[in-house]
């Protein structure tokens, strides 16, 4: 989702302890179905920020509820500058890292996947990352922390945009190499492309060329693309272009995945709580299920305790999408 400054009102973090919830059998053909659990990336202009004022962590009980609905994958957006402040080659801020550790441990302890997602749009302190070696060093430090947890997935960076396509490819390869070099050899790596990693312009933007050349000695790369259904594909409107726009927008990416023997995941998608958007979402997910040889799953944007009345919120128990959209998507979980 495109946003420059993620704002959050003051909110309290739930102190309740969630009872253990194991992942349940799901109905769909997908390996990964889930949500982005926002909070730790909020207040991204307030660095390092204050817990409980500028940012928060996802709620255990809400995650448990979503697991009970059948979701098995939880993407945890974080800020690169908060976990390793000042420089890419720096040391870990253990206070912030402890919050990430808590959520990762909770999610994976339920048998679900936890995606570590540096939600930085290819930037560090608002500057485009051009230090490829430094980016690799950042990933070495973070990956070492979770190298022994097979249920962790590493997401190279959220929505690179307005960058050189070759640079984006180099940064992704540096992340892959660093993660594997850190001893994290069993986990999946979700790689993201340029141009907001949009599925609908994956090839037309040119990002597919460099991204298609990525290599992984473990052969566990998943191409993460994002696809919203509003007029400009930005995920900022509750209106969807048409009832068929979802399938239409991912058709070209599907062909690319098949032609290049790659696997993909829609790492962010959403639509408004209205009949046209629900039909468009169902059409897209049905098309993905029909092409599950290349599409391995999808994640909703988003959940998290501070979304309040946000139009796409799937946060239990009262988020707009949780109550009005999710019931129509159960066949695809």
């Amino acid at each position: 989702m495109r946003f420059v400054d993620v704002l959050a009102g003051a909110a309290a973090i739930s102190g309740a302890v969630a009872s253990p919830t194991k992942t349940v059998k799901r109905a769909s053909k997908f390996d990964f179905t889930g949500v982005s659990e926002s909070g730790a990336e909020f207040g991204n202009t307030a660095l390092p920020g204050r817990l409980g004022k500028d940012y928060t962590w996802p709620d255990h009980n809400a995650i448990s509820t979503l697991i009970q609905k059948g979701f098995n994958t939880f993407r945890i957006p974080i800020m690169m500058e908060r976990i390793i402040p000042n420089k890419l080659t720096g040391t870990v801020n253990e206070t912030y890292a402890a919050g990430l550790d808590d959520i990762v441990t909770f999610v994976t302890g339920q048998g679900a996947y936890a995606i570590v997602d540096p939600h930085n749009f290819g930037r560090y302190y608002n500057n485009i990352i051009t230090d490829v070696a430094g980016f690799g060093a950042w990933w070495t430090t973070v990956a070492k922390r979770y190298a022994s947890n097979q249920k962790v997935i590493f997401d190279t960076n959220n929505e690179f945009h307005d960058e050189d396509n070759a640079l984006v490819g180099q940064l992704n390869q540096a992340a892959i190499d660093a993660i594997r070099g850190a001893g994290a050899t069993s986990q999946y790596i979700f790689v993201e492309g340029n141009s907001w990693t949009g599925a609908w312009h994956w090839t037309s933007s040119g990002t597919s060329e460099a991204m298609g050349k990525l290599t992984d000695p473990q052969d566990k790369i998943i191409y993460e693309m994002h696809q919203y259904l509003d007029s400009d594909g930005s995920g900022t409107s509750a209106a969807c272009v048409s009832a068929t726009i979802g399938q239409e927008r991912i058709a070209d990416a599907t062909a690319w995945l098949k032609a290049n023997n790659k696997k993909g995941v829609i790492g962010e998608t959403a639509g408004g709580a209205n009949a046209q958007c629900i039909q468009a979402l169902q059409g897209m997910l049905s098309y993905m299920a029909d092409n599950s040889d290349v599409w391995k799953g999808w994640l909703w944007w988003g959940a998290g305790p501070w979304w309040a009345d946000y139009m796409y919120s799937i946060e239990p128990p009262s988020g707009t999408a949780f109550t009005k959209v999710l019931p129509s998507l159960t066949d695809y979980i």
Side-chain angles (χ1 to χ4, degrees), residues 1-2 200 228 230-237 249:
M1 163 174 252
R2 301 184 198 177
W200 63 330
Y228 292 95
D230 48 352
S231 60
D232 62 358
S234 63
T236 55
S237 171
R249 282 188 173 169

Side-chain angles (χ1 to χ4, degrees), residues 20-317:
T21 303
K22 296 299 182 181
T23 51
V24 299
K25 180 174 173 57
R26 295 170 298 119
S28 77
K29 298 179 180 180
F30 300 122
D31 295 333
F32 312 105
T33 60
V35 301
S36 287
E37 286 284 346
S38 286
E41 86 283 22
F42 277 21
N44 61 344
T45 59
L47 296 173
R50 287 174 287 178
L51 178 63
K53 182 180 187 298
D54 301 304
Y55 70 92
T56 189
W57 291 101
D59 179 69
H60 288 194
N61 287 307
I63 292 170
S64 291
T65 298
L66 292 168
I67 289 173
Q68 290 166 4
K69 293 293 184 181
F71 287 117
N72 74 338
T73 307
F74 296 87
R75 184 169 177 249
I76 308 163
I78 61 171
M79 293 299 298
M80 294 177 69
E81 301 90 343
R82 285 183 177 145
I83 196 165
I84 301 180
N86 303 319
K87 58 182 180 180
L88 293 167
T89 56
T91 57
V92 170
N93 173 354
E94 291 294 342
T95 301
Y96 185 79
L100 179 59
D101 291 347
D102 173 72
I103 296 300
V104 167
T105 299
F106 179 77
V107 168
T108 61
Q110 315 311 306
Y113 291 102
I115 304 174
V116 176
D117 163 37
H119 210 77
N120 277 66
F121 304 89
R123 278 123 176 104
Y124 188 70
Y125 286 101
N126 207 35
N127 296 310
I128 291 176
I129 299 169
T130 57
D131 181 359
V132 175
F135 188 69
W138 187 95
W139 265 116
T140 295
T141 302
V142 173
K144 280 182 178 178
R145 199 171 189 98
Y146 305 109
S148 63
N149 190 333
Q150 295 185 7
K151 301 296 285 188
V152 168
I153 295 171
F154 301 105
D155 181 341
T156 55
N157 216 262
N158 179 71
E159 294 187 348
F160 296 94
H161 68 89
D162 298 291
E163 300 178 48
D164 178 75
N165 284 328
L167 173 62
V168 171
Q170 291 165 8
L171 290 169
N172 273 279
Q173 189 63 61
I176 295 166
D177 294 345
I179 290 164
R180 298 307 184 212
T185 57
S186 64
Q187 296 92 338
Y188 289 99
I189 298 175
F190 285 8
V191 296
E192 297 201 35
N194 202 12
S195 298
W196 312 92
T197 206
W200 63 330
H201 44 222
W202 184 258
T203 59
S204 63
S205 68
T207 197
S208 62
E209 182 176 354
M211 294 297 289
K213 297 175 182 176
L214 298 177
T215 60
D216 173 22
Q218 306 303 318
D219 195 26
K220 298 190 79 169
I221 292 174
I222 305 289
Y223 285 80
E224 180 181 332
M225 305 180 197
H226 296 175
Q227 193 57 67
Y228 292 95
L229 311 180
D230 48 352
S231 60
D232 62 358
S234 63
T236 55
S237 171
C240 295
V241 172
S242 72
T244 58
I245 192 62
Q247 176 178 339
E248 292 166 6
R249 282 188 173 169
I250 67 169
D252 186 60
T254 304
W256 181 86
L257 290 168
K258 288 178 179 286
N260 291 277
N261 195 29
K262 307 295 187 185
K263 309 299 183 187
V265 64
I266 295 295
E268 288 186 18
T269 193
N274 57 74
Q276 182 155 289
C277 284
I278 289 172
Q279 189 174 349
L281 287 160
Q282 290 173 328
M284 181 179 74
L285 296 176
S286 179
Y287 175 76
M288 290 172 64
D290 289 343
N291 292 278
S292 60
D293 57 322
V294 294
W295 286 115
K296 308 318 291 181
W298 61 278
L299 285 84
W300 185 268
W301 179 273
W306 281 4
W307 278 127
D309 60 355
Y310 173 52
M311 62 183 172
Y312 296 156
S313 174
I314 203 166
E315 181 78 355

